[in-house]
Amino acid sequence: MSKEFNNNTIRGPINAFIFKILSGYLDRLFGSAKRVLFKGHPETIVEIGPGTGANMRYLKKGTRLIAIEPNIYMHNNLKKSADRYGIDLEIKSLMGEAIDLPDASYDFVVSTLVLCSVHDPLQCLQQIKRILKPSGVFVFIEHVRARENSVLAFIQNLIHKPWHWFFEGCHTNRDTKQLLESIGFTKLELESYNLYSPFIPIIPQVRGRAIK
């Protein structure tokens, strides 16, 4: 697998713009859950795929954020968000499958709506587990594959190819729940639910905390 992210000169800027303008709406959808998940977070956080910085509003001012963000077209808005919320930002233009951070070095890792898009989600999760300290926490919100033979599953499969192309590798029907359960965390607190919004393919979701 290539360790280089394909920065598309058309879709990259478009997606960066879309996620920036959707920031307020995404806060309405996910804000309450994220405030619970991020509560009491440490001074340093690693975030996989922070995009334009949608999660910074839930972090304490002065937090050091190590951002694993390979899409260079997200970086400008990521820096603006850091300035706005008083976040000490370090950007690493790396894929989640190839994180260059030391083993067992961080207490808190975040991933929200990202594991759908990485090339190898199992390897990405292994990297997350690797960099966590013993008893370190991984918090996540991810959309997942719908129940087999359901209307949502039909829609996910129908729209998968154009969605995958436009959103730069996002899988509408990836079984991320099973992957989280298989990685071998010491404790996994996982809630499955439907979050209804105009974005029908991502209605089925999971959220929670995994402890190394």
Side-chain angles (χ1 to χ4, degrees):
M1 183 198 71
S2 171
K3 294 185 179 181
E4 296 295 326
F5 181 80
N6 180 22
N7 279 285
N8 188 281
T9 56
I10 298 174
R11 295 193 301 273
I14 290 173
N15 276 292
F17 175 74
I18 288 173
F19 287 117
K20 184 64 177 178
I21 63 173
L22 284 176
S23 177
Y25 179 65
L26 294 175
D27 177 49
R28 288 175 55 192
L29 287 178
F30 297 100
S32 59
K34 288 181 177 181
R35 288 181 180 89
V36 171
L37 288 172
F38 296 170
K39 186 177 180 180
H41 68 77
E43 293 181 358
T44 299
I45 288 177
V46 178
E47 183 169 6
I48 314 300
T52 59
N55 289 333
M56 289 187 189
R57 69 180 71 208
Y58 313 112
L59 305 181
K60 293 175 287 190
K61 188 174 182 180
T63 297
R64 180 183 178 225
L65 177 63
I66 302 173
I68 309 299
E69 181 51 72
N71 188 336
I72 61 172
Y73 297 105
M74 300 289 183
H75 291 182
N76 186 46
N77 284 327
L78 194 54
K79 293 172 184 176
K80 289 180 180 178
S81 294
D83 290 341
R84 179 179 180 183
Y85 294 107
I87 302 301
D88 178 12
L89 176 66
E90 177 184 355
I91 300 175
K92 288 181 171 287
S93 300
L94 303 169
M95 295 172 64
E97 301 92 328
I99 302 172
D100 67 350
L101 299 174
D103 294 356
S105 53
Y106 296 94
D107 292 300
F108 203 86
V109 179
V110 174
S111 162
T112 61
L113 305 180
V114 172
L115 294 176
C116 55
S117 299
V118 297
H119 292 301
D120 188 334
L122 182 59
Q123 186 173 345
C124 182
L125 284 167
Q126 289 170 340
Q127 287 288 298
I128 289 168
K129 187 179 177 184
R130 178 186 65 78
I131 67 173
L132 278 172
K133 293 179 181 179
S135 300
V137 177
F138 168 49
V139 301
F140 56 87
I141 298 176
E142 299 290 344
H143 66 85
V144 298
R145 187 168 71 187
R147 178 175 51 84
E148 200 73 26
N149 299 319
S150 65
V151 173
L152 281 174
F154 173 79
I155 294 172
Q156 286 180 334
N157 292 332
L158 180 68
I159 203 172
H160 176 263
K161 285 187 177 180
W163 185 282
H164 182 269
W165 178 85
F166 184 80
F167 288 109
E168 300 188 279
C170 178
H171 292 73
T172 59
N173 52 9
R174 179 171 277 174
D175 194 358
T176 302
K177 179 176 182 289
Q178 188 277 327
L179 289 167
L180 286 162
E181 291 171 339
S182 72
I183 200 66
F185 285 103
T186 300
K187 184 177 181 181
L188 178 64
E189 302 168 357
L190 186 148
E191 176 188 1
S192 299
Y193 62 99
N194 287 334
L195 183 66
Y196 293 98
S197 77
F199 307 108
I200 296 173
I202 69 168
I203 285 174
Q205 298 188 6
V206 295
R207 63 189 172 208
R209 296 157 45 96
I211 300 173
K212 183 173 178 179

